[in-house]
Amino acid sequence: MASRKEYLDFILEQLSELEEITYRAMMGEYIIYYNGKIVGGIYDDRLLVKPVQAAINYMPNAEYQLPYDGAKEMLLVDNVDNKEYLIGLFKTMYEELPNPKPKKKK
């Protein structure tokens, strides 16, 4: 099942106070970037984030879920209605997220 654009728009509105939130559509789902780093994505209308230690500490009771078959488990963000909570989560995670890989020259 693909994610709805309305759900993406809702999440982007919740994160609107952060600068440099971008996304990329990928096979019916959406990858979410914060200042160029992948934070997570929207899969089947669920916001999932990378399980970096800062996110685990911020959401100690979060469920691990698979974004799609064959993928690594990610953390389910179930408190998406709380704007401050989401912004805090993204800010807390940022330093631990891996830097983007350099693009290969053709």
Side-chain angles (χ1 to χ4, degrees), residues 5-16:
K5 178 79 164 69
E6 295 81 15
Y7 188 75
L8 169 68
D9 291 341
F10 170 73
I11 296 299
L12 294 176
E13 175 59 31
Q14 293 294 84
L15 296 168
S16 63

Side-chain angles (χ1 to χ4, degrees), residues 26-75:
M26 188 87 54
M27 297 179 291
E29 309 297 355
Y30 301 97
I31 308 299
I32 306 291
Y33 296 83
Y34 177 34
N35 285 325
K37 294 182 178 183
I38 298 174
V39 179
I42 296 173
Y43 305 92
D44 298 328
D45 287 339
R46 301 168 298 158
L47 176 60
L48 302 177
V49 297
K50 291 183 171 248
V52 295
Q53 192 60 51
I56 294 166
N57 293 345
Y58 195 86
M59 306 184 303
N61 299 319
E63 274 184 57
Y64 284 86
Q65 293 190 1
L66 292 175
Y68 52 88
D69 289 338
K72 293 180 182 177
E73 286 187 325
M74 297 175 79
L75 295 173

Side-chain angles (χ1 to χ4, degrees), residues 51-98:
V52 295
Q53 192 60 51
I56 294 166
N57 293 345
Y58 195 86
M59 306 184 303
N61 299 319
E63 274 184 57
Y64 284 86
Q65 293 190 1
L66 292 175
Y68 52 88
D69 289 338
K72 293 180 182 177
E73 286 187 325
M74 297 175 79
L75 295 173
L76 173 66
V77 182
D78 60 1
N79 199 1
V80 294
D81 292 329
N82 185 331
K83 194 172 196 168
E84 290 75 27
Y85 180 86
L86 269 186
I87 290 170
L89 172 62
F90 275 50
K91 285 182 175 180
T92 300
M93 291 176 66
Y94 182 75
E95 288 302 319
E96 286 186 40
L97 294 170

